[in-house]
Amino acid sequence: MAAIYCSICRVVDSVIKEEEVVTRDDLEEIVEGSGLWSVGNRLTHGFVLSPDVYRLDMARRIELEKLSAAIHDCLRGLSRVACISNHGTLGTSRAWAHIASVCRAGLPKQYSEIAFSNPHQYPLICKVDLLEGTDEKFYIVEIDAHNKHGMGYATLAARMRAFIAEHGATTFPGVAPMMAGAITGKGHSEMFLVWAKHEKFYVPEFHVFREEMEKLGVRVRLVSEPDAPVTITNIWDLDFYKTGTSQRPELFVDLPAMYYDSRLRDSLINGYRMGTIDLLIPPKPYLGSKGVLALLANEIKDPEIEAILLSQISTEALARVRDHLPATYLVTRFGNPDWKSILRSGRWVLKEGISSGMKGVAFSDEVLFEVAFDQALRAKNSFVLQAEVENKPERFAYFEDDGTYKVGQYYKRLTMHIAHRKIAEMTVTARPDRRIHGAKDCLQLGTVVVES
C-alpha cells in the first residue's frame, strides 16, 4: 500500500529532514533559481509550494516497474500495428481500417506520411498518468508517448524533493540522468530541442531541463520555430539536410507540429525521412492518443482487433496493462456498442482523444454531459469514454503566500516518466478537486521510495 505522508507527523517521519525545518522561502528559492518563475512567469506558471513528498512503498514500486516494462512493450507493438494498418496493402480488413482511422484521428497533415514509417522506432521517454483508486489500486488514465512537455517540471520536483528528504533517501534515477546516459551512449554530447510557436508556454520548463542536462555533460540547444533562421543558420545548410551524407545523424528531442515556418518543418521532416536526423521521440502522435488506449483496452471484445493486438504484443504485457486500465471505450459506432446501457452502468469521464490538461473533458454527473457525448459520437473516433476512478482526497501540507504552514485535502495524479522500460521519475500533481492538472492552486511533489 502506498502510504501518503501525514504532514502533521513530519517531525517523527524519517523520510523528512529532522535537523531543519523546510520553509516557504527555501522552496521559493529553488523554484526561482530554476528560472521557471522568472520575470512575468509566476503569473502563468505558478503553483502552491509544499514541504511534502509522496511516499511510495517498495512493493508498489516493484509493481509499477513491471507495469512500466509492459507499457513499453505495448507501445512498441502498437507502433507496428499502426504502421501495418496504414500501409494500404497489408492490413485490409474492416478491423484494420478501423485501427488506421483511429490512428489518424486528429493527426496533423504534416505527419500524414512519416508517422507510419520506421515501425521499429519508439520513444526514449514517455509519460503515464495514474490515479490511485479508493481500492488502493493504480489505474492508467493516460499514456502519452508523443510529448516532451513535463521533463522540466519533473526535474524541478526532483530538486525540491532532494532538499526536503533526508540524505540517502531512496528515489528514482531522474529524467535528465537517464536521458543523458542514453544520449551519451549513442555517442552524442549535444542535441537540439525545437519548440513550435504554439509551444511557447512550455519554454520556461525547457530551460529547467536544459540546465540539468548540461550539468550532466549534454549540451541542449533550444531552437524556437519563429527564430530558427537566426539560431540554426550554422547547421541548416549542411549537407546532411540535403544529401544524407553526414557520418552521424544530428540528434533532436522531437519533431513538433509546426505551422509558422514551413522551411524549418520541411527540412526536419526530410532529414527524418532520409535518416540524417535522429529523434528521441519519433513523430507518432497516435502513441499519445487516448483513442489508441481504447484500442488497447478493446472493451467491445472484437475478436479480430484482439488477434491483431496479440500478433504484435505479448499476452503477458497486454494483460498487465489491462489490469491497470479502467474501462475505456472509443466513442464510435464501430462494433455497435450499447451506449445507453454502458452510460447507465456507472460514472464516466468523456475525454478528447488528443488534448492536454482538462481540455475536452466532461464528467457524466455534470449537467451538459449528454450534449457533450452526443457531439463526441458525431466526431469520428475523436473521443473516449473512460470509467471514472474514485480518487479519494489525501492530506498534504502546503504554504500560504505569507509562509503560513497548513494542511489540506487534495486529489492527486501520479505521473510516471518511463525510459528504457524503467521508471525514470515519478511526480505528483495534487488539486483541491477532481479536475487534476497543472494550475495555480495545484501542488507539485517529488517522490521518495520507502520500505514496505
Side-chain angles (χ1 to χ4, degrees):
M1 173 181 175
I4 301 298
Y5 169 56
C6 176
S7 301
I8 295 175
C9 303
R10 65 198 310 271
V11 175
V12 297
D13 194 316
S14 62
V15 171
I16 305 301
K17 293 178 178 177
E18 296 180 357
E19 69 274 11
E20 59 184 87
V21 175
V22 177
T23 68
R24 186 183 187 283
D25 288 343
D26 294 328
L27 299 175
E28 187 170 44
E29 183 177 348
I30 293 171
V31 180
E32 290 185 342
S34 74
L36 186 73
W37 286 354
S38 58
V39 179
N41 287 344
R42 190 158 187 163
L43 294 175
T44 54
H45 294 72
F47 57 89
V48 178
L49 295 173
S50 168
D52 259 337
V53 294
Y54 177 74
R55 292 174 59 192
L56 180 74
D57 72 44
M58 186 60 73
R60 303 198 76 187
R61 175 184 180 168
I62 294 170
E63 171 194 350
L64 291 178
E65 292 284 8
K66 291 178 181 178
L67 177 60
S68 298
I71 289 171
H72 175 274
D73 293 348
C74 285
L75 289 174
R76 295 187 68 178
L78 285 171
S79 176
R80 295 189 292 268
V81 167
C83 291
I84 295 169
S85 72
N86 281 273
H87 189 275
T89 59
L90 295 179
T92 57
S93 70
R94 182 169 176 262
W96 278 111
H98 175 64
I99 292 171
S101 176
V102 174
C103 291
R104 286 190 173 273
L107 184 72
K109 185 177 180 180
Q110 56 199 262
Y111 291 138
S112 59
E113 293 183 13
I114 59 173
F116 304 103
S117 61
N118 301 317
H120 61 286
Q121 292 185 357
Y122 53 91
L124 171 64
I125 189 86
C126 83
K127 295 188 303 179
V128 180
D129 284 344
L130 305 166
L131 296 181
E132 185 179 9
T134 53
D135 58 358
E136 300 182 351
K137 183 174 181 178
F138 289 124
Y139 291 92
I140 300 168
V141 291
E142 183 173 357
I143 297 175
D144 189 353
H146 187 255
N147 194 340
K148 62 181 175 287
H149 309 152
M151 296 188 295
Y153 280 104
T155 298
L156 181 58
R159 290 179 186 174
M160 292 190 290
R161 177 207 61 213
F163 182 82
I164 295 167
E166 69 172 6
H167 180 71
T170 302
T171 63
F172 292 100
V175 170
M178 287 197 73
M179 292 189 71
I183 291 163
T184 55
K186 288 173 172 270
H188 290 276
S189 60
E190 176 182 84
M191 68 178 180
F192 295 90
L193 192 161
V194 179
W195 55 273
K197 187 176 181 180
H198 60 83
E199 294 183 294
K200 187 176 181 179
F201 176 82
Y202 300 97
V203 173
E205 72 150 311
F206 293 158
H207 281 281
V208 177
F209 174 68
R210 177 177 69 173
E211 180 185 36
E212 196 70 18
M213 291 293 284
E214 294 190 343
K215 289 178 182 177
L216 297 167
V218 177
R219 183 186 182 195
V220 179
R221 297 179 62 177
L222 290 180
V223 179
S224 73
E225 181 185 3
D227 297 330
V230 175
T231 55
I232 63 171
T233 297
N234 61 325
I235 68 162
W236 206 338
D237 293 327
L238 290 179
D239 284 344
F240 69 77
Y241 280 115
K242 299 176 181 178
T243 65
T245 59
S246 65
Q247 294 181 348
R248 186 179 65 199
E250 291 289 330
L251 185 63
F252 287 71
V253 175
D254 70 343
L255 202 168
M258 289 179 277
Y259 306 97
Y260 179 81
D261 190 331
S262 60
R263 184 185 173 199
L264 173 63
R265 178 194 66 212
D266 294 345
S267 292
L268 295 181
I269 288 175
N270 191 46
Y272 176 70
R273 184 182 288 115
M274 294 190 304
T276 53
I277 69 170
D278 192 9
L279 300 173
L280 298 180
I281 303 174
K284 300 182 178 186
Y286 51 85
L287 292 182
S289 166
K290 301 174 187 71
V292 171
L293 193 63
L295 280 179
L296 199 63
N298 192 20
E299 297 289 350
I300 61 174
K301 309 298 183 201
D302 184 272
E304 189 172 355
I305 288 178
E306 191 71 7
I308 289 169
L309 292 173
L310 290 174
S311 73
Q312 303 297 326
I313 302 170
S314 73
T315 302
E316 180 183 0
L318 190 58
R320 188 176 296 278
V321 169
R322 284 178 174 172
D323 186 52
H324 289 270
L325 265 180
T328 305
Y329 291 88
L330 186 69
V331 180
T332 179
R333 299 186 191 281
F334 180 87
N336 300 313
D338 184 352
W339 290 117
K340 289 185 178 180
S341 296
I342 292 171
L343 290 170
R344 285 196 299 264
S345 66
R347 294 174 58 172
W348 299 90
V349 186
L350 182 68
K351 300 179 178 181
E352 194 167 1
I354 297 179
S355 63
S356 61
M358 296 303 292
K359 296 176 182 177
V361 174
F363 291 85
S364 60
D365 58 354
E366 294 177 334
V367 175
L368 296 178
F369 177 82
E370 290 186 10
V371 174
F373 184 81
D374 287 342
Q375 292 174 343
L377 198 55
R378 291 194 292 271
K380 186 178 180 181
N381 298 332
S382 296
F383 286 80
V384 300
L385 186 71
Q386 190 171 75
E388 183 178 351
V389 177
E390 187 177 354
N391 180 11
K392 71 176 182 180
E394 303 286 351
R395 294 174 67 81
F396 290 112
Y398 66 96
F399 290 118
E400 295 276 17
D401 288 342
D402 62 1
T404 303
Y405 175 93
K406 289 192 173 182
V407 177
Q409 297 276 19
Y410 285 86
Y411 295 89
K412 65 183 183 296
R413 182 191 72 211
L414 295 84
T415 299
M416 291 194 304
H417 298 262
I418 301 173
H420 292 306
R421 305 180 84 241
K422 298 182 180 297
I423 302 174
E425 191 58 87
M426 177 174 285
T427 58
V428 170
T429 301
R431 286 196 69 239
D433 64 46
R434 61 184 175 175
R435 288 180 172 269
I436 309 168
H437 62 103
K440 294 178 183 178
D441 62 348
C442 81
L443 311 182
Q444 300 280 358
L445 308 177
T447 298
V448 170
V449 181
V450 297
E451 292 300 321
S452 302

